[in-house]
Amino acid sequence: MTVLSRYLAGLLAGLSCCTLASTALAAQPTHEYVLANGLKVIVREDHRAPVVVSQLWYKVGSTYEGPGQTGLSHVLEHMMFKGSSKLGPGESSRVLRDLGAEENAFTSDDYTAFYQVLARDRLPVALEMEADRMATLTLPESEFTREIEVIKEERRLRTDDKPSQKAFELFKAAAYPSSSYRTPTIGWMADLQRTSVQDARDWYRTWYAPNNATLVVVGDVQPEDVKAMAERFFGPIPQRPVPVAKRPVELAEPGERRLVLPVRTQLPSVLMAFNVPSAATAPDARSVQALRLTVALLDGGYSARMASRLERGPEVVSAASASYDAYERGDSLFTLSATPNSEKHKTLADTEKAVWGLLDDLKRTPPTAEELERVRAQFIAGLVYDQDSITSQATAIGQLETVGLPWSLLDNEVEALSQVTPEDIRQAARTYFTHSRLTVAHVLPEAAPHD
């Protein structure tokens, strides 16, 4: 937590639930347009500095990939920088660098996105280049041959040679027995080794259409000017038929799954995950906000329950964490991890039992109103801090829209969180923290026995 966010947390901790909504940043004027070819354009005004962020989001990621196709979305992200009708390989990056712009791209389970942060008067350059590669990407075989080797090496460095990442990749594959969230975004190595330039070309033609994209622009701009620029650069690109992508829905209660994962690590650890809905799939929106606050209750800093009841006190663990992504296209996971305190001779069984103790406490007894207010204030402080950035605002809007949720959730988050009661926390724990939804992995040093 940064100094500023700690300050905001302290400031907000003294406020009652009814005043939290008014404490958050005021919603910026936001405008939405849809071009004739289906491209959605969302413009959010923020006139504090003469800077703008432009992001182009495509509704395609690793959850769209079938067997044998894993990693294709990420491969194509790389290839989008390798030349179009107007610019050769790498030239778009050089142009933006000469303009003093920041640029990058990212691929996830549910989307692929490209962004630029630059002076407001240089926005047309970014939009022209994005439109050109949406319409006329060249995908030369020589560039593909070089880049696929770069991606294989990226997989080796970021996953295969990192024990914690390798273990989590295998754990996630078991935690999603039904849905395509089991697919690693970077792809399985066996698929990367047989991916061809024609596969990339087919993926581009299938998904990179204006009617499968959202342009998000946030900053010191006039919405009508951005709309006119979008019409100028993207308007001539014809829409194309795009496959229907169904939400990745998981089995409601797949049954308990257990793994032993020996990797090159010095310390053992426990991974636990429960199959839970996201905001896109939950029948009850309040339960999603309750799960978000449960993460903060368990893993929200020094006074959170994992730190106070597991790391300190009985000293069962040396480290512990919790996470939950509510804004996914399909069903999600509520994930916990913990490392036994070896100095106190604690075992994986001790650790797992202690984590279950925290969860069972939530099922039996809801948090006090005071504890929930403190946790809520800290959580909202983080949201307020994040939304001070135009890049964070654009990213939140783009993610929501691309997973099939309205961008207006961004402006309604504080109010939704303010409605969560202690009983909502308990009910969510009772509903979702069950053995029938659980995956457990014991991550062991390779030399350790597996029993």
Side-chain angles (χ1 to χ4, degrees):
M1 184 178 285
T2 66
V3 174
L4 179 55
S5 58
R6 283 198 298 269
Y7 169 78
L8 287 169
L11 179 67
L12 292 177
L15 299 175
S16 65
C17 175
C18 64
T19 62
L20 285 170
S22 62
T23 305
L25 291 176
Q28 303 294 332
T30 306
H31 313 266
E32 182 178 321
Y33 312 98
V34 179
L35 305 190
N37 61 8
L39 177 71
K40 180 175 281 190
V41 182
I42 301 173
V43 185
R44 192 173 181 93
E45 297 179 61
D46 191 323
H47 299 290
R48 291 174 294 171
V51 179
V52 63
V53 57
S54 171
Q55 297 184 346
L56 188 61
W57 294 70
Y58 291 94
K59 294 179 181 179
V60 63
S62 53
T63 58
Y64 292 69
E65 298 163 0
Q69 296 179 316
T70 69
L72 265 176
S73 300
H74 178 247
V75 168
L76 193 52
E77 175 213 312
H78 278 238
M79 292 304 298
M80 287 287 279
F81 296 88
K82 300 304 177 181
S84 57
S85 65
K86 295 181 180 179
L87 295 169
E91 286 185 2
S92 62
S93 296
R94 288 194 289 273
V95 169
L96 289 168
R97 185 168 58 248
D98 290 345
L99 293 176
E102 172 191 345
E103 63 139 5
N104 214 325
F106 48 90
T107 307
S108 186
D109 300 308
D110 298 320
Y111 43 75
T112 307
F114 304 84
Y115 73 85
Q116 302 84 29
V117 183
L118 65 175
R120 64 185 178 191
D121 60 337
R122 289 160 182 178
L123 177 61
V125 178
L127 297 187
E128 182 176 6
M129 288 193 298
E130 285 291 10
D132 187 47
R133 60 186 176 184
M134 174 190 279
T136 67
L137 195 68
T138 54
L139 285 161
E141 186 166 10
S142 59
E143 291 294 330
F144 173 85
T145 301
R146 282 191 290 269
E147 200 62 27
I148 196 68
E149 294 304 319
V150 171
I151 294 167
K152 290 177 189 176
E153 185 62 20
E154 181 182 343
R155 181 185 162 84
R156 293 185 190 100
L157 291 173
R158 295 188 177 183
T159 302
D160 296 339
D161 293 339
K162 284 194 173 181
S164 61
Q165 289 299 110
K166 183 177 180 180
F168 188 76
E169 180 181 78
L170 296 172
F171 173 71
K172 189 178 176 183
Y176 285 112
S178 174
S179 92
S180 51
Y181 281 107
R182 68 198 334 269
T183 301
T185 298
I186 200 166
W188 299 111
M189 183 62 86
D191 288 340
L192 295 177
Q193 289 171 340
R194 56 181 174 170
T195 297
S196 69
V197 68
Q198 190 58 49
D199 293 329
R201 289 168 179 166
D202 292 344
W203 202 250
Y204 171 68
R205 282 194 290 266
T206 300
W207 299 107
Y208 275 58
N211 46 307
N212 196 47
T214 301
L215 174 65
V216 181
V217 176
V218 178
D220 189 20
V221 293
Q222 296 301 321
E224 289 299 323
D225 292 343
V226 176
K227 180 187 177 185
M229 282 186 272
E231 290 276 14
R232 175 186 172 190
F233 296 118
F234 292 93
I237 304 172
Q239 63 176 323
R240 297 195 306 275
V242 174
V244 175
K246 295 180 179 179
R247 291 189 184 280
V249 177
E250 190 48 78
L251 303 173
E253 296 183 281
E256 184 171 325
R257 292 132 287 162
R258 287 188 165 268
L259 299 86
V260 174
L261 300 174
V263 295
R264 295 193 306 273
T265 184
Q266 294 184 343
L267 297 174
S269 60
V270 175
L271 291 172
M272 302 171 64
F274 298 91
N275 295 107
V276 298
S278 69
T281 62
D284 174 17
R286 185 174 290 195
S287 66
V288 171
Q289 303 302 334
L291 287 171
R292 297 178 79 196
L293 289 177
T294 300
V295 170
L297 191 76
L298 295 172
D299 183 25
Y302 185 81
S303 60
R305 293 190 179 192
M306 282 184 148
S308 62
R309 300 187 189 185
L310 298 186
E311 294 182 41
R312 304 193 304 277
E315 298 182 307
V316 178
V317 307
S318 58
S321 65
S323 64
Y324 166 60
D325 188 350
Y327 298 144
E328 295 192 332
R329 190 167 65 95
D331 291 325
S332 190
L333 291 177
F334 191 102
T335 304
L336 306 110
S337 65
T339 302
N341 189 334
S342 58
E343 292 185 359
K344 298 293 182 180
H345 307 290
K346 299 299 182 180
T347 66
L348 291 171
D350 295 330
T351 301
E352 192 175 334
K353 181 180 178 181
V355 173
W356 266 114
L358 292 185
L359 302 181
D360 288 338
D361 282 349
L362 283 176
K363 295 180 184 180
R364 287 190 298 266
T365 308
T368 65
E370 180 182 11
E371 183 182 20
L372 180 56
E373 286 304 317
R374 172 181 55 77
V375 167
R376 188 179 358 238
Q378 290 176 334
F379 194 88
I380 291 174
L383 295 178
V384 172
Y385 179 74
D386 286 343
Q387 293 312 308
D388 194 49
S389 157
I390 60 171
T391 297
S392 294
Q393 292 178 62
T395 301
I397 290 170
Q399 181 182 6
L400 287 168
E401 282 291 328
T402 306
V403 301
L405 295 167
W407 62 261
S408 57
L409 284 180
L410 175 64
D411 295 335
N412 299 327
E413 275 189 311
V414 172
E415 180 61 29
L417 290 162
S418 300
Q419 300 302 313
V420 175
T421 67
E423 184 58 32
D424 291 330
I425 300 285
R426 180 168 69 166
Q427 189 56 50
R430 286 179 170 179
T431 301
Y432 298 117
F433 300 154
T434 65
H435 285 276
S436 62
R437 293 175 175 269
L438 174 66
T439 305
V440 182
H442 285 187
V443 182
L444 303 176
E446 280 184 331
H450 296 175
D451 54 20

